[in-house]
Amino acid sequence: MKPASSGHVRIYPLASTAAAVNGDATAAATSTDETNDASEQINIRLNVNEKARTVLSVCTSGTLCTTSNHDGIEGAPFGSFVDYVLDDDGFPVLLMSDLSMHTKNILDAGLDKAMVTLFAQIDDKSNANQNAEKGQDVSRCSFTAKVQKIDPKDAEDYDSIRMKYSIAHAYADQVMDSPRFDFYRLIPQAIYYVGGFGVLSKWVDVN
């Protein structure tokens, strides 16, 4: 479909996600005309809620912390790397084995009582900018939640979750049908956003 016959075509390249979250992303907007070329800058400013949501949306992995029930370290936080996807409501969904230490910790605490925290941080390695923020100087989010085991027979979004997980984490296809693996949905109770090293940090409205 051709644009209106004004003779102008405006192109807005996508700004770096990391830049948009860690600071203010600037996208070059190019305006072309038969007789005139011009360029302008567009500043994208996200509020804190949007930045926290972006971190969780862009990341597909993070660190899950559960409360250990292992002998000698009962009550201590236990953290390890996990992959996840977001459901249609923006809640993280994990695929975990019944042999997983996290699963054991959650079930020991009781599904109705267990509280976990998922930590996600923008990965700057994919950013082509060599001066991109490193280490602690990037945006990150701690997502504290209750845990809901997803029943494939009752969950209306089960097929959607399965498809999203398969696309994001293709390796999981080989275990998704195993009776030893289940999807778990994290229901937010508190969200803490940190904008970088020594800068804005704030509890974010879970809604």
Side-chain angles (χ1 to χ4, degrees), residues 13 31 49 55 74 78 96 123 126 128 146 152 167 179:
S31 181
N49 288 10
V55 171
E74 295 91 345
F78 175 84
M96 296 193 295
D123 181 6
S126 61
K146 290 186 176 180
I167 292 173

Side-chain angles (χ1 to χ4, degrees), residues 139-158:
S139 295
R140 48 198 182 273
C141 194
S142 296
F143 188 96
T144 301
K146 290 186 176 180
V147 184
Q148 178 188 78
K149 186 176 181 179
I150 298 177
D151 187 339
K153 297 180 180 179
D154 296 333
E156 295 181 357
D157 60 347
Y158 183 80

Side-chain angles (χ1 to χ4, degrees), residues 59-64 80-86 92-96 102 118 165 168-172 183-184 186:
C59 297
T60 57
S61 60
T63 300
L64 181 67
S80 68
F81 182 88
V82 294
D83 288 325
Y84 70 90
V85 295
L86 299 184
V93 175
L94 315 175
L95 178 64
M96 296 193 295
H102 286 308
L118 176 66
Y165 209 95
H169 311 293
Y171 70 86
F183 285 109
Y184 292 84
L186 304 188

Side-chain angles (χ1 to χ4, degrees), residues 44-67:
I44 301 173
R45 294 180 180 275
L46 304 180
N47 61 39
V48 176
N49 288 10
E50 291 169 333
K51 288 183 177 182
R53 182 177 298 175
T54 301
V55 171
L56 283 173
S57 298
V58 171
C59 297
T60 57
S61 60
T63 300
L64 181 67
C65 291
T66 55
T67 303

Side-chain angles (χ1 to χ4, degrees), residues 2 6 24 26 38 73 107 163 185 192:
K2 293 183 179 180
S6 62
D24 295 327
T26 301
I73 57 171
L107 296 180
M163 180 181 69
R185 194 189 323 264
Y192 190 67

